[in-house]
Amino acid sequence: MKRVLGIETSCDETAIAVYDAEQGVLAHNIYSQIELHRQYGGVVPELASRDHQQKIVPLLLQTLVEANINIDDLDGVAYTAGPGLIGALLVGATFARSFAFARDLPCVGVHHMEGHLFAPMLEPQPPTTPFVALLVSGGHTMLVKVLEFGNYEILGESLDDAAGEAFDKTARLLGLNYPGGPEIAHLAEQGDATRFEFPRPMIKRPGFDFSFSGLKTAAMQAFMATEQDQQTKADIACAFQLAVVDTLSLKCQRALKATGLSQLVIAGGVSANQLLRQELHKMTKKLQAEVFYAKPEFCTDNAAMIAYVGYQRLVRGQREPLNFNVTARWPMSELV
Amino acid sequence: MKILAFDTATEACSVALLNDDKISECYEEIPRGHAQHILAMCQHVLDEQNCQAQDIDTIAYGAGPGSFTGLRIASSVAQGFAVALNLPVIAISSLQALAQAAYEQTQNASVLAAIDARMEEVYFSYYEFNTDKQCMQEVIVDQLCAPELAPLPDSEAKQYCAAGSGWHIATLQQRFRNCISQTIPDCYPRASSMLKIAEQKYTDGDYLTVDKIHSMYLRDKVTT
C-alpha cells in the first residue's frame, strides 16, 4: 500500500487527491460549486449532486496527470462516506467503489471530520500523537483528545450552533456574503474593538462544551439598536470575532491543562481564521505548548485529507464489503 | 463479446452479463438501497460466468429518465468502470429498456412506455420493434409530460402494449383506452433486456467515451 486516491463530495466541493506514503500529496484539485448555489442563498442538494457527477471524471484525470502517475500506479481508494448531503455523498461513494471494484483495489469510506482532524499531518512539520484537537467548521465545534490514529476521546462540543455557523449567520445579518468567516474577518480589520463587548459563552462553566447561539443573538440585538452604518457593521464584526476567538482559545487552554498534553491541532474551515491562529500561538506559548494547523487550502473541504485517512485505514488492514452505504448524520463519537 | 449492463432508474435494480451467447442476470425490486446492492450483483454475474471485470468489452447503463438518485447511481458505476478499465460506454434510455422488456414479455411489437415521474407527470414514449436491428426503437423522443397531455397515436388502428409504472395513473389509462390491448404496469426496465439494445448500439458505433457519460433527467427544473 503506497498510493491512495481520495474522493470528497460531501457538500458543495468536488475534490480529488492522490496521497503517497513516501512523498505526501502528489496532486490535488478542488472544484467549488459556490457560484452555482449563490443565487439560491445556500446549497441546493439536487444541483450539488448533478454537478459532482459532471466534475468527478475530468477532475480525476487532471489530478492523475498533475501527479504524473497512471491509474495502474494506484494501490487503494478512499472516499467520504459521511456526514454530508446524502445525494452528494452517493455520487463520490458509488464512483469510488465502482472504480476500485473494476480494478480490484481495496477501498474504504472515510468520516469527513476525521479527514479534517488529520489535515495538519500533511504539513512539512506535522504534530505527533497524542494531541488535543479543536475541530471548528460550519457544522462542528468540538474538542477531541487524539491518543493515536483511530483512538479519540471527545472532550466537548457545541450544544447549539457551530462556530462557523455563528459566523455565517452573523455575516448574513450584516449583509455579507456566504461563507461568512472570511467576510467577517475582513470587515473586522476596520472595526473598533472597544465599542461593543459581547459575552464569552460558557467560559465560567466547567468542562469543554461550547454554545454560540447566544453570542449570535447578542450581536443581532446590538446591531438592531444602532444606526446600522458601515462603521457599526465593522465594529460588530470585530467584537463578534474577538468573542468567538477568546472563547475557543480559553477552552483549548483548559483542554491542554486538563490532559497535560503539549500539542494543539486546529482543523476545519474556521481554523483558517488569522486572529484565531495568532491568539492560539500566544496562548500555547505561555503554556510551553505548540499549535499546528493545515495550509489554508486544506482547512476547507479537500480530498487530500480523505486520501491520507484512507491510507491510514487501508494500511491497518481495514477492508469493507461490497454493499457500501453513505451516512448523512454520523456523529464523530461513533468513530471513537 | 462481453457486455455488462445495469439499470437503477426505477424500483427495479438489475445487472446482466452477456458472455458471448450466455446471459447471467440479477434482478430485484427494492424501494431504495440500489447502491448497496449493485456491486454485489456485478460480482455475482461475473462469478457465474467465471469472468473478471477486466474481461469486459463494454458497459451499458440505464441513463434515464427515472429516479434522480437512481440515475446517478447507474452513471457513477458506469464512470467508475469506464475510467478504471478504459472502456467505451453505451447509454440506454430507461424507456427503451422498459419497452424491450415489455416486448420480450408479451411479443407485442408496439409499446407505449410510461414511467411515473411523480408531481403528476410521466416519462413517456412510443417504441416499435425493428426487425433489422432486432430490438425496440423509439418512434417519438422520450419526454416528460402531464398524463392528460401525452401525445396520442396518429391513428387508432394499431393496438399497443402499455408498459411501466406510469400506467397506474388513471388519467393516462383513460386517455389511451382505445388503443391499448394490454397493460403491464408492473413491468420495469431490466438489464437483461438492455443487452440486445447494447449489442445493436455497439455495432452501430453508438457509444460514449468516459467524459460523455451523463444522466437523462428530462426534468431540469429542480428549484422553486
Side-chain angles (χ1 to χ4, degrees), chain B residues 184-200:
Chain B
I184 43 171
D186 297 325
C187 182
Y188 295 104
R190 65 187 299 161
S192 58
S193 305
M194 291 161 67
L195 292 172
K196 265 269 176 284
I197 304 167
E199 275 187 290
Q200 169 263 318

Side-chain angles (χ1 to χ4, degrees), chain B residues 41-84:
Chain B
M41 285 180 162
C42 291
Q43 183 75 68
H44 184 84
V45 296
L46 287 166
D47 286 350
E48 211 170 89
Q49 300 278 343
N50 281 321
C51 290
Q52 295 192 319
Q54 290 79 357
D55 303 332
I56 298 167
D57 296 302
T58 184
I59 46 181
Y61 72 104
S67 138
F68 294 167
T69 299
L71 302 190
R72 276 192 290 275
I73 290 168
S75 47
S76 294
V77 175
Q79 287 176 326
F81 274 80
V83 175

